[in-house]
Amino acid sequence: MPEPTTIAPTTAVPPAAAPPATAGPGSAPAPACPYAPYAPAVTDSADAFRTVQDRAECTFARRSRLVGMPAHVGPDAHAAGLVAGPALRAFTARAAADRLDGFVVELTDPVHGATPAAVAATTRAVLAGVLTADGDRDLAGLAGAEAEHWWFRAFGTRWFALVFAPSYGPESPRHTFGSASTFVLLQPVEAFDRHASPRGAAIAEGVREDIRDRYAAGGRPYDAELAAQDVESLKFVWPHGPADAPVRWWERPAPPADAAGRAPAALEGTEPAPHHPPDPALLAAVAAAAAATHAGPPDPTRGLPAAAPAGPPAGAGDLGADLLVAATAALADAVPPVDRETARGLLAGLAGLTLDGPHRRVPLHTALPGTDLPAALRPVGAHGAPEEDVFRLALAAACPGAPWPDGPADPAALAAAVRVLGGRLGCRVPTLAAVAARHLLHLLPAADAAGRRHLLRRLAWLTDSRAAGAQALLLGLTGPDDPLVRLPAVPPAPAPATGAGAGAPDEDEEPLPLADWHREPPAPDEERRLGGRVRAVRRHRGATFADLSWAGRTVQLSLPAGGPVRIRPGDLLAVRGRGGRSRTGAAVLLVDEVLRHRPGRSARPLRAAGPDPAGEPPVAGLLRPRLTRLGFAEAASPLLTEGYFGGRARPFATRQADRDRPLYLRVTTELDLLRRLAEGRTRVYEIGPSFRNEPLRGAAAKEFTMLEAYAADLRLDAMAELVADLVADVLDDPRRPRWTTFDEAFAETAGAHPDDTAALHRLAARTGGPDPRRFADPHALAQRLWRGTYRHRLPGVALVHRIPGPASPFIAGEGRTARRVWLSVDGVELAEISANERDPDRLARRLAAQFASDPHPVHRDYGDVLETFAAGVPPCVGVGLGLTRLAELRAARTTTAQEPRP
């Protein structure tokens, strides 16, 4: 149980863990759109909190890690919680891996911490905003806060909150040491446990006493009795004086005033009440009023002030021209400018939205001054398409606080409003998409970097939303998740079976036991170890029989009655057993022990391999027979796909004319090959072209031929040696590969160790490399220097491992522990060999974190990827080998060998 006066184990995030600073305590508020992802910076609220952190007497304060967001400016504490929501979501996704200990919300307006009542109201408002951002609009997460062992829960995490405010005196453990800001420190309970009780046990009394003694020695003692009791919520807001009663901050009092008598707007008084779908009768009345307005006389000044823009008369309107003019102006005024490729794609897509015209033009009900509508949702003109009113009225009904996109939309309210309004007024989906796009374009010039990225991605999605109806379109547009990166929720894996014979959880990267499949069926009592996928399960008289298959072979298993593992078709299974016979005389494997068990689903059927692609490098013909001898089966996957994936790679896009849908040139063949492993193949490969639409770097090609191969029966080191031997065979190179770490390879070629920052700066200046001041992490600078200069100097055949820096989300491990190896031949980097990450939940979190800041609005689809991994990809290792580079290296050696000697 965390001590109430303890700052979550805290040290500001070092430069290696956070991007360069972008905002400070006096900066503008966080991005207006609460769902625009925000990457924590060093000079943000965590940096402003540093003074409090350094002067805390807590045992763990100076050795922990905090992150935050730009300071919140203004009196609206509920809005601060809303804006913090996406950053907290990102925090929880990486807190365990990056060993982060807390998240700081800073509120700069003095009203938040002016009085004890204001501190309590601020705490409730901020945490209510966080719950709303997490989808808890009824604030059910605050219910029962007075109970023992209650925790504040949001984004799947238990949080302990500590509030520091200027109203606390210097003798208080929540004093801010001269800062006028109020700080809400949110600490995952697991983070404190990691420091105070590594084995997850209760915090030792000795630790508690040490903390209390330190605070007492520092002149800031606190109430030990309150600290020791079990109502966690009472420790969030500390009493201001020793005789004060515990603070019941979760209760909603009347809004307090600050020292100047100013009421803290939106501390509590404007916190939205729990929101529910609007009254159907009220919605029907609004729809009827809007319909009457649409049917009224086409007088542009009807019901409007004299200064209101009249616009063209009602009737048939040119929505397409208006939209394209607005798009051109918005994209031209964006700072920094939108790249030309993105702008062209958006303009083309927006033009496509308007081809279903002509569009009706009617007097707009939302333009009337008497309409109850936020100013941000009012149209710019008095006339427009009927869908304009549907869009704006539905959002007004669905946003309990600030209008979207400044605030989240209630999905139930939005669906109800669209159903009623669209049914009465008429609502065509392409026109609704065009209206929504026009609204987003109006917001684009004033948006900050994160908000602009968010708006551009929504605009790109609108141009090809693939929504079946108006409800689906608006729900997708206003949802918290990125509509362009489809990351479906993956159910958590079932808890591993326990008891004798259950085996260890399948968390290691060891291959399944597949070697015994190549032997004859076992003789009676002969022991075998087999792994594979369960194809069928039969239960008879208390016994369980299952068909275990791999690579076209099948054996019947007989599992003992009452075994600890309940298997189902589709599971990955590894067993040890003896040969035997069933009562009917059929050969079976009598299972003595279940070595590993991973529940899964059946994967997709294999596609038949097609003919060899044309235009391949000549080395492809040399590789195929060698791969066949090594037991690899060839596959062929389509070049054009409806969705795509593959790191941050950008695709080439085209369009299928008859079905009017986008198609993409493939980026990688990885997914198709992994499906084949999931279906029971042991070793598979494909040789063919891959396409990348990134900016050219040096002599990089837009199309290149790759060999991608995967093996379910090899470890990483064995696969690396196999690839090195394969390359040596093609190059006729007798040299054996040597294993070397990245640090050793860098020191060998550059003459400096990657940890030597001063030496790296000298190398950058000597080679004309990147500006060292742009790299807070010396290892990032070392990698850039390696890529640009020194990797080309690595002699011989080398297998480089323990590589720093980020790896692909699909590779097991992170940073130096990522299970990957580079193959270099005389300074030419030919291949990367890696072990695959197989946990779909971890993969989903990694992908979401990677694409949170992806600036390119493209339809990236990861649904198939996660489905494949959820189906149970066996432990496997893979390789990506660039055949174009291999062919060039072979040709250069052939030419050199044929040149006459002088």
Side-chain angles (χ1 to χ4, degrees):
M1 179 179 64
E3 292 286 353
T5 53
T6 302
I7 301 171
T10 45
T11 8
V13 177
T22 57
S27 65
C33 174
Y35 293 114
Y38 172 72
V42 175
T43 55
D44 57 9
S45 51
D47 188 63
F49 188 69
R50 182 71 197 193
T51 300
V52 181
Q53 173 187 341
D54 286 343
R55 300 184 68 172
E57 283 80 8
C58 169
T59 312
F60 313 107
R62 294 177 180 82
R63 59 184 175 89
S64 69
R65 307 176 69 185
L66 293 181
V67 296
M69 64 181 204
H72 180 78
V73 179
D76 192 344
H78 184 266
L82 279 175
V83 173
L88 280 168
R89 188 189 301 274
F91 175 94
T92 58
R94 65 188 186 91
D98 293 351
R99 301 184 70 81
L100 303 180
D101 300 303
F103 185 92
V104 182
V105 178
E106 179 188 8
L107 303 100
T108 60
D109 196 303
V111 68
H112 297 293
T115 66
V119 175
T122 295
T123 305
R124 185 185 196 281
V126 169
L127 298 186
V130 170
L131 288 174
T132 303
D134 192 29
D136 182 7
R137 307 185 197 286
D138 294 335
L139 306 185
L142 296 181
E146 69 279 0
E148 291 186 1
H149 310 299
W150 172 90
W151 290 107
F152 179 70
R153 298 176 185 270
F155 304 107
T157 299
R158 296 181 304 158
W159 302 89
F160 187 80
L162 302 96
V163 183
F164 300 79
S167 58
Y168 287 106
E171 73 286 349
S172 171
R174 302 295 177 88
H175 184 51
T176 57
F177 298 98
S179 173
S181 295
T182 298
F183 299 95
V184 180
L185 173 60
L186 290 165
Q187 172 194 359
V189 176
E190 292 77 8
F192 191 89
D193 291 345
R194 183 171 63 244
H195 290 264
S197 49
R199 292 178 298 279
I203 299 175
E205 184 58 31
V207 175
R208 296 180 186 273
E209 292 178 358
D210 179 68
I211 294 174
R212 289 195 290 267
D213 291 345
R214 286 172 181 266
Y215 272 92
R220 295 192 291 155
Y222 61 88
D223 187 346
E225 182 178 349
L226 179 59
Q229 54 82 45
D230 291 330
V231 180
E232 301 296 336
S233 57
L234 294 178
K235 307 172 191 177
F236 285 19
V237 180
W238 203 245
H240 278 62
D244 293 347
V247 181
R248 299 175 64 86
W249 56 266
W250 59 89
E251 296 178 347
R252 188 170 181 166
D258 63 6
R262 180 166 54 101
L267 269 181
E268 279 289 315
T270 58
E271 178 192 323
H275 194 63
H276 301 280
D279 181 14
L282 180 61
L283 273 178
V286 173
T293 305
H294 294 180
D299 179 6
T301 61
R302 176 180 179 270
L304 295 175
D318 192 356
L319 178 61
D322 294 345
L323 182 61
L324 291 179
V325 169
T328 304
L331 294 174
D333 293 341
V335 179
V338 179
D339 67 272
R340 294 173 64 86
E341 184 180 345
T342 296
R344 286 195 190 100
L346 285 174
L347 289 173
L350 294 172
L353 289 178
T354 66
L355 296 179
D356 293 327
H359 305 273
R360 290 176 57 208
R361 191 177 187 90
V362 298
L364 292 176
H365 183 71
T366 50
L368 300 177
T371 305
D372 184 14
L373 199 72
L377 284 178
R378 290 197 176 277
V380 295
H383 293 84
E387 289 81 1
E388 189 96 32
D389 274 346
V390 175
F391 174 77
R392 299 180 186 282
L393 291 171
L395 286 180
C399 295
W404 183 86
D406 290 347
D410 185 303
L414 186 65
V418 174
R419 183 169 57 252
V420 174
L421 294 166
R424 181 64 185 267
L425 305 179
C427 192
R428 301 169 62 191
V429 174
T431 308
L432 181 64
V435 166
R438 180 68 184 85
H439 179 73
L440 296 181
L441 287 167
H442 178 69
L443 303 174
L444 187 62
D448 59 14
R452 181 171 57 254
R453 182 168 59 245
H454 175 83
L455 294 174
L456 286 174
R457 295 174 71 82
R458 256 52 184 182
L459 280 166
W461 180 78
L462 281 171
T463 63
D464 180 30
S465 66
R466 310 181 191 181
Q471 289 186 43
L473 184 133
L474 285 189
L475 289 173
L477 180 68
T478 59
D481 298 321
D482 192 331
L484 296 185
V485 182
R486 295 177 176 83
L487 292 169
V490 178
T498 57
D506 187 14
E507 293 296 333
D508 63 324
E509 298 297 332
E510 291 295 323
L512 292 173
L514 302 175
D516 280 357
W517 282 109
H518 301 286
R519 298 165 58 188
E520 294 295 325
D525 293 329
E526 181 183 358
E527 185 175 281
R528 291 289 173 87
R529 291 162 55 91
L530 291 175
R533 184 160 319 267
V534 177
R535 295 301 183 189
V537 177
R538 300 172 298 281
R539 293 179 176 86
H540 181 66
R541 295 183 179 178
T544 299
F545 297 90
D547 293 340
L548 186 71
S549 299
W550 195 261
R553 296 179 172 88
T554 300
V555 66
Q556 184 177 201
L557 304 180
S558 175
L559 290 96
V565 177
R566 181 176 178 83
I567 62 172
R568 295 175 176 83
D571 292 359
L572 282 173
L573 199 65
V575 298
R576 180 181 60 80
R578 298 167 289 105
R581 297 281 177 180
S582 68
R583 293 182 180 179
T584 61
V588 296
L589 186 69
L590 304 173
V591 175
D592 295 324
E593 181 183 8
V594 175
L595 302 174
R596 277 188 280 172
H597 174 234
R598 182 176 181 179
R601 301 189 300 269
S602 295
R604 301 184 178 188
L606 287 170
R607 295 187 181 95
D612 292 348
E616 291 177 343
V619 293
L622 300 176
L623 286 170
R624 280 194 172 89
R626 291 167 169 80
L627 288 166
T628 300
R629 288 197 297 270
L630 291 171
F632 286 86
E634 185 173 10
S637 55
L639 294 181
L640 285 173
T641 58
E642 292 187 23
Y644 74 94
F645 80 106
R648 292 181 180 268
R650 300 176 65 183
F652 286 98
T654 184
R655 203 160 192 88
Q656 185 177 5
D658 60 340
R659 297 182 61 183
D660 191 27
R661 63 175 181 174
L663 295 174
Y664 303 94
L665 285 174
R666 75 181 182 196
V667 171
T668 176
T669 61
E670 179 176 2
L671 182 58
D672 289 272
L673 296 176
L674 289 175
R675 283 177 183 152
R676 284 159 172 77
L677 290 186
E679 290 165 355
R681 297 294 183 93
T682 304
R683 299 184 181 186
V684 292
Y685 79 96
E686 181 166 354
I687 294 175
S690 296
F691 305 88
R692 304 289 170 86
N693 200 16
E694 291 91 349
L696 286 174
R697 292 175 295 180
K702 295 290 188 181
E703 173 188 354
F704 50 90
T705 304
M706 287 281 291
L707 160 68
E708 291 195 69
Y710 289 86
D713 61 339
L714 294 176
R715 293 171 51 91
L716 179 62
D717 52 354
M719 185 67 158
E721 297 277 359
L722 183 150
V723 174
D725 291 343
L726 194 65
V727 168
D729 198 11
V730 170
L731 296 178
D732 194 18
D733 190 336
R735 295 175 295 178
R736 295 297 304 158
R738 60 189 175 98
W739 287 85
T740 181
T741 66
F742 175 87
D743 290 353
E744 293 168 346
F746 189 89
E748 178 183 354
T749 56
H753 195 276
D755 289 336
D756 190 342
T757 304
L760 294 180
H761 287 199
R762 291 193 296 270
L763 291 174
R766 184 190 312 159
T767 61
D771 185 352
R773 292 173 296 183
R774 294 172 50 196
F775 297 87
D777 181 5
H779 291 119
L781 176 58
Q783 269 211 329
R784 180 67 66 87
L785 290 169
W786 173 263
R787 288 285 184 189
T789 303
Y790 295 107
R791 67 171 172 172
H792 309 295
R793 303 180 184 180
L794 187 63
V797 181
L799 292 168
V800 183
H801 62 111
R802 293 200 57 78
I803 303 162
S808 164
F810 296 92
I811 296 177
E814 297 184 15
R816 291 185 182 275
T817 64
R819 305 192 67 237
R820 57 176 174 164
V821 178
W822 290 340
L823 171 62
S824 173
V825 178
D826 293 333
V828 179
E829 193 176 292
L830 290 177
E832 181 174 68
I833 305 99
S834 61
N836 272 67
E837 172 61 59
R838 298 182 300 119
D839 185 285
D841 294 325
R842 190 179 298 120
L843 189 57
R845 291 192 296 269
R846 288 183 179 181
L847 291 171
Q850 182 183 65
F851 296 111
S853 58
D854 187 354
H856 304 296
V858 286
H859 288 78
R860 200 183 305 268
D861 192 342
Y862 281 87
D864 283 351
V865 178
L866 296 182
E867 286 179 7
T868 298
F869 279 84
V873 174
C876 61
V877 290
V879 58
L881 173 64
L883 296 196
T884 304
R885 290 183 182 179
L886 181 60
E888 291 173 350
L889 188 60
R890 185 173 187 274
R893 293 189 172 196
T894 302
T895 303
T896 303
Q898 293 176 348
E899 289 179 352
R901 295 185 177 182

